[in-house]
Amino acid sequence: MYLPPHFKPKDESHALALMREHPLASLISQDEEGAPYVSHLPMHLQQRDSDMFLQGHCAKANSHWRYLQARPHALVTFMGPQAYLSPKVYPDLARVPTWNYLAVHARVQATVIDHTSDKDALLKALIADHEPAYADQWRGLDGAFQEQMLNGIVAFELRITDLQCKLKLNQHRASSHAALYAMYVQGTPEEQALAGWMVRLGLIAQP
């Protein structure tokens, strides 16, 4: 993606935080005709030594897993909070509107997971991310029902080979920061989230 230096964070932890806080990703591959094919799926981020992996699954009826098998190189994108930026945050009038947003792009190498126990472990990782209390309910379900559910999905692991993070928060326009923060902190949940990121990035002092 287009990534000017002032929107590129030096700290990789910001990208990891975005992937964990906004786990619904767009998995982008090529179909049999070479056209883009996109599935929107929650991902579990896992770090092992110096490598990072994304784990997820799709319905067996979704052809995406076949495309991953045939063409393992894929792209996963995550979108964080985003909102309009009004030119009224500037002290002068010679300005134009824009849009602020936080995004992560991960190039990945895919491996399809077939073994039932591995799929079960992946599901438990996703459960732990979003509703740990459900783990006991899942374990207590009838074995035949669990097997039916596991047979209805195809799991995969995506090794991250390249990671890009874009934090577009008007970093290069310092004169706008105070007014922008004041507007966002009183705004919609998305705008309030961006106000929080302005603090996290040191654009605004901790209130």
Side-chain angles (χ1 to χ4, degrees):
M1 62 177 158
Y2 174 57
L3 188 54
H6 40 271
F7 297 146
K8 182 179 180 180
K10 296 178 181 178
D11 189 345
E12 192 177 72
S13 68
H14 295 315
L16 306 186
L18 276 173
M19 289 190 283
R20 289 193 171 106
E21 293 170 17
H22 302 272
L24 184 65
S26 296
L27 173 61
I28 306 165
S29 300
Q30 286 187 327
D31 66 14
E32 294 166 345
E33 297 177 352
Y37 188 92
V38 185
S39 292
H40 306 286
L41 306 166
M43 296 285 180
H44 170 72
L45 176 63
Q46 187 176 93
Q47 293 178 268
R48 298 181 215 145
D49 299 324
S50 60
D51 289 326
M52 291 184 291
F53 299 84
L54 294 167
Q55 296 177 327
H57 64 85
C58 63
K60 188 170 285 186
N62 182 347
S63 299
H64 207 147
W65 65 272
R66 300 183 190 278
Y67 304 147
L68 290 175
Q69 272 190 329
R71 290 167 289 280
H73 293 287
L75 178 69
V76 183
T77 68
F78 297 80
M79 178 61 74
Q82 47 83 25
Y84 174 73
L85 185 155
S86 169
K88 65 185 178 183
V89 300
Y90 298 105
D92 58 303
L93 298 178
R95 302 290 180 174
V96 295
T98 187
W99 207 272
N100 281 335
Y101 61 89
L102 314 181
V104 175
H105 288 192
R107 293 184 183 181
V108 297
Q109 177 81 16
T111 302
V112 172
I113 298 172
D114 292 321
H115 201 279
T116 300
S117 63
D118 292 332
K119 288 197 286 186
D120 182 66
L122 185 149
L123 288 183
K124 286 174 180 170
L126 284 168
I127 290 169
D129 284 345
H130 306 294
E131 192 181 6
Y134 177 73
D136 289 337
Q137 182 176 332
W138 170 252
R139 293 187 189 99
L141 294 172
D142 178 75
F145 178 78
Q146 287 192 35
E147 185 176 356
Q148 179 186 354
M149 293 296 98
L150 289 169
N151 287 338
I153 65 171
V154 177
F156 44 80
E157 183 169 80
L158 312 171
R159 183 174 63 85
I160 297 176
T161 59
D162 183 68
L163 192 64
Q164 288 187 318
C165 181
K166 186 171 185 177
L167 307 179
K168 186 175 182 292
L169 275 170
N170 231 32
Q171 290 95 322
H172 57 317
R173 308 287 188 206
S175 63
S176 72
H177 291 172
L180 180 59
Y181 177 80
M183 180 182 295
Y184 277 170
V185 81
Q186 305 260 347
T188 66
E190 293 275 298
E191 291 171 330
Q192 291 174 22
L194 287 176
W197 272 92
M198 291 183 75
V199 174
R200 287 165 82 164
L201 296 177
L203 304 181
I204 292 289
Q206 182 75 40

